[in-house]
Amino acid sequence: MASIGVCGKWMFLSCGTRLIAAHIKKDREPFVFDCSTAKKKENDPKACINSLGGPSGSDIIVSLVISPSGKLVALIDDSKRLVLFKNEHSWQWASTRWLVRRGTSLVFNRAEDEVLVADKSGDVYSFSVMQPEKEGELKMGHLSMILAVTVSLDDKYIITSDRDEKIRVSHRCSPYNIQSFCLGHKEFVSSLLVPSGDRHWLLSGSGDGTMNLWNYKIGQKLQSWNLHDLEEKPKLESERKVIVCHITSSFDGCHIAVQFDRKLEEEGVEDAIALLCIIHQQALCSKILRYDNVMSDVVKIINHSRSWALKHRQFRECLAEIESEYEDVLYFTEELNVLNKKLQACKALMDSGTTFSGEKYADTIGKLQEEFDQRFADFKTHRATFQTFADPFSFDVEDAPLVLQMELIDLQCHTDLKAKFREPFLCGILDVAQPHPDSTSSGP
């Protein structure tokens, strides 16, 4: 997400992977830093190569913060970097350090000797400014993802908010000592600001479309503004959904600006498709067979072999000794693939004139077929939608929704991505996903 900030004579802009610092009054060459060409983490066992051939992480700048004096700037990106810059006659890179988890928000303390970084696991780490090579120290933690972090004007408190509607005020020197909670939002709290007008005030913005003013020392809500009420045209209740993204103030604290975004429903975007897990659907279908005389023994054997690591290892060694076709117990998907092939073999026998009596299984197979048709009806309804993403390079653009047509055109014209998509690894996945050519669309 792009962001912009101004401090003193400098304007900072982050967009994608780039940070740009430009002097407002003088015609000087801007300072540019690109995270995609920045230092990579060495000897990282978690670093992997993605399907497009690049390192994991998109290098996109997640958050940018300017120190109160305007002499320091820090950013975090999607590759778990914390990059620090300093201004000594001109802007220059100072250090690059690595986060344990992807960062979500960061802030300088008022003394400008540390940077506090919150991450998606709910932890806050402290990074030293004076020792740019020093690793971060765990400061505090929440039980859910922290979305915003700030500090009080006197540097005594760390204020954090999470996606569970809570705002916590903790002592900076001893974060385990909680001063207060500010409770009142109905959805996640996405933005925090301590305005310079009063050192006990706190502004918070939430996904419920409200901005609240607090006395954070005692956790008291002083005032609340509903951003839905500020719109000129009245909206239906289902359409009046906005999310506060960012709150900022003028240098003297007399003016407040709020950035908010509308939820997808108001833009006419269709609701997300909700489907039960495929493996669970298959498990539910299998229940209709009711072969208790067989399944009870199968369940006992599987539970016995999988209950302890030693038994499981001995079971796998036994399968290897007898040169079994399978190395372990099959999952539902594999079982259904085997069943599908066996049914196709039965069909081939019947087509070749071989005598095959299926009368005693006809009723059971019919019930199973009916259960599959009922359970997977939703998948058939959205088949065209799935096909758009299963093979976007051969999908007919005219059959795609209007909001995706331009994206598909651009994608299908990208020869490099098309070549990557057709590599053996991805083609193998697509072959598994496609139905067998001899099977019908209604078969298992």
Side-chain angles (χ1 to χ4, degrees):
M1 184 178 70
S3 60
I4 189 171
V6 177
C7 188
K9 301 177 181 179
W10 291 91
M11 179 178 67
F12 301 88
L13 172 66
S14 67
C15 183
T17 63
R18 291 189 175 187
L19 168 69
I20 301 174
H23 201 283
I24 298 175
K25 297 184 178 181
K26 295 182 180 180
D27 186 11
R28 298 172 57 176
E29 188 74 17
F31 171 79
V32 180
F33 180 84
D34 194 338
C35 291
S36 63
T37 60
K39 176 183 177 182
K40 309 296 181 183
K41 190 172 185 180
E42 299 178 356
N43 302 323
D44 183 9
K46 296 183 180 180
C48 60
I49 302 300
N50 60 25
S51 59
L52 298 180
S56 60
S58 63
D59 297 324
I60 293 176
I61 297 174
V62 176
S63 184
L64 168 72
V65 65
I66 307 170
S67 68
S69 68
K71 296 181 179 180
L72 297 170
V73 170
L75 65 83
I76 50 177
D77 67 9
D78 196 48
S79 294
K80 299 188 287 188
R81 293 188 192 90
L82 167 64
V83 187
L84 180 65
F85 307 91
K86 60 182 179 179
N87 185 3
E88 294 179 356
H89 306 295
S90 63
W91 285 101
Q92 57 186 4
W93 169 85
S95 69
T96 297
R97 283 170 281 188
W98 303 95
L99 309 177
V100 179
R101 298 286 187 272
R102 179 182 178 274
T104 57
S105 180
L106 75 166
V107 66
F108 284 99
N109 67 338
R110 301 294 170 176
E112 300 187 8
D113 57 2
E114 71 173 346
V115 185
L116 298 173
V117 182
D119 64 29
K120 67 176 185 179
S121 64
D123 294 328
V124 176
Y125 284 83
S126 172
F127 291 84
S128 173
V129 173
M130 310 307 295
Q131 299 173 285
E133 300 301 324
K134 186 179 179 181
E135 296 296 323
E137 298 179 356
L138 181 61
K139 198 78 171 176
M140 57 178 291
H142 279 229
L143 295 178
S144 62
M145 182 190 297
I146 297 179
L147 301 180
V149 58
T150 189
V151 294
S152 60
L153 296 178
D154 56 9
D155 253 356
K156 289 184 177 181
Y157 303 102
I158 301 175
I159 307 174
T160 51
S161 65
D162 59 28
R163 63 180 182 182
D164 289 339
E165 310 161 12
K166 298 192 305 295
I167 301 173
R168 183 200 295 183
V169 182
S170 308
H171 289 262
R172 190 174 70 87
C173 296
S174 54
Y176 54 84
N177 187 0
I178 298 175
Q179 173 69 22
S180 66
F181 284 98
C182 299
L183 306 176
H185 286 294
K186 297 180 180 179
E187 293 191 30
F188 58 89
V189 183
S190 53
S191 183
L192 297 173
L193 173 69
V194 178
S196 56
D198 192 303
R199 63 190 185 95
H200 293 158
W201 283 1
L202 171 70
L203 287 167
S204 63
S206 171
D208 59 13
T210 63
M211 181 177 68
N212 291 346
L213 175 65
W214 309 85
N215 182 336
Y216 64 82
K217 290 197 68 175
I218 60 175
Q220 180 184 6
K221 182 165 66 174
L222 304 177
Q223 196 170 352
S224 180
W225 297 268
N226 193 328
L227 300 184
H228 306 118
D229 299 335
L230 302 179
E231 296 182 291
E232 296 180 359
K233 297 180 180 180
K235 300 289 183 180
L236 298 175
E237 187 64 28
S238 59
E239 297 178 336
R240 300 176 59 200
K241 296 182 179 179
V242 298
I243 300 173
V244 177
C245 300
H246 187 66
I247 305 174
T248 188
S249 68
S250 59
F251 294 109
D252 57 7
C254 295
H255 297 87
I256 302 295
V258 183
Q259 177 191 0
F260 66 91
D261 195 6
R262 301 183 186 278
K263 288 190 177 179
L264 296 178
E265 293 85 350
E266 189 168 332
E267 299 177 2
V269 178
E270 296 181 359
D271 293 337
I273 300 172
L275 298 170
L276 186 63
C277 175
I278 295 178
I279 294 179
H280 293 169
Q281 294 274 31
Q282 295 169 353
L284 292 173
C285 290
S286 67
K287 298 298 183 182
I288 199 173
L289 296 178
R290 300 186 182 280
Y291 286 156
D292 295 334
N293 58 328
V294 176
M295 293 305 297
S296 59
D297 294 335
V298 172
V299 170
K300 288 179 181 178
I301 294 172
I302 293 177
N303 289 342
H304 178 77
S305 62
R306 297 299 296 266
S307 59
W308 297 94
L310 176 61
K311 294 178 181 178
H312 186 205
R313 185 170 63 253
Q314 291 173 342
F315 176 71
R316 297 185 63 179
E317 291 175 354
C318 176
L319 293 178
E321 289 177 1
I322 64 176
E323 298 181 351
S324 173
E325 182 180 358
Y326 303 105
E327 298 178 354
D328 205 342
V329 179
L330 297 180
Y331 291 102
F332 287 108
T333 304
E334 296 172 300
E335 292 171 359
L336 288 171
N337 288 337
V338 173
L339 175 61
N340 192 23
K341 292 179 181 178
K342 290 182 178 179
L343 290 176
Q344 293 168 22
C346 294
K347 182 177 183 298
L349 287 173
M350 289 185 287
D351 292 342
S352 63
T354 304
T355 304
F356 178 79
S357 177
E359 295 180 358
K360 62 179 181 178
Y361 302 110
D363 184 57
T364 302
I365 293 176
K367 291 180 179 179
L368 184 62
Q369 181 69 59
E370 182 180 350
E371 187 71 9
F372 265 85
D373 289 340
Q374 179 181 354
R375 292 285 181 184
F376 290 92
D378 292 340
F379 290 88
K380 295 179 181 178
T381 303
H382 300 291
R383 184 171 184 174
T385 304
F386 296 151
Q387 190 62 29
T388 306
F389 300 97
D391 192 1
F393 291 96
S394 61
F395 191 82
D396 190 350
V397 175
E398 294 183 357
D399 294 336
L402 292 176
V403 295
L404 297 179
Q405 289 184 0
M406 292 304 298
E407 297 283 350
L408 277 176
I409 292 173
D410 292 340
L411 189 63
Q412 292 177 2
C413 292
H414 202 304
T415 55
D416 292 338
L417 289 178
K418 189 173 184 178
K420 287 289 184 182
F421 188 80
R422 298 302 182 193
E423 285 184 352
F425 174 72
L426 290 177
C427 290
I429 296 177
L430 291 176
D431 291 341
V432 173
Q434 297 296 329
H436 193 280
D438 295 333
S439 63
T440 62
S441 60
S442 59

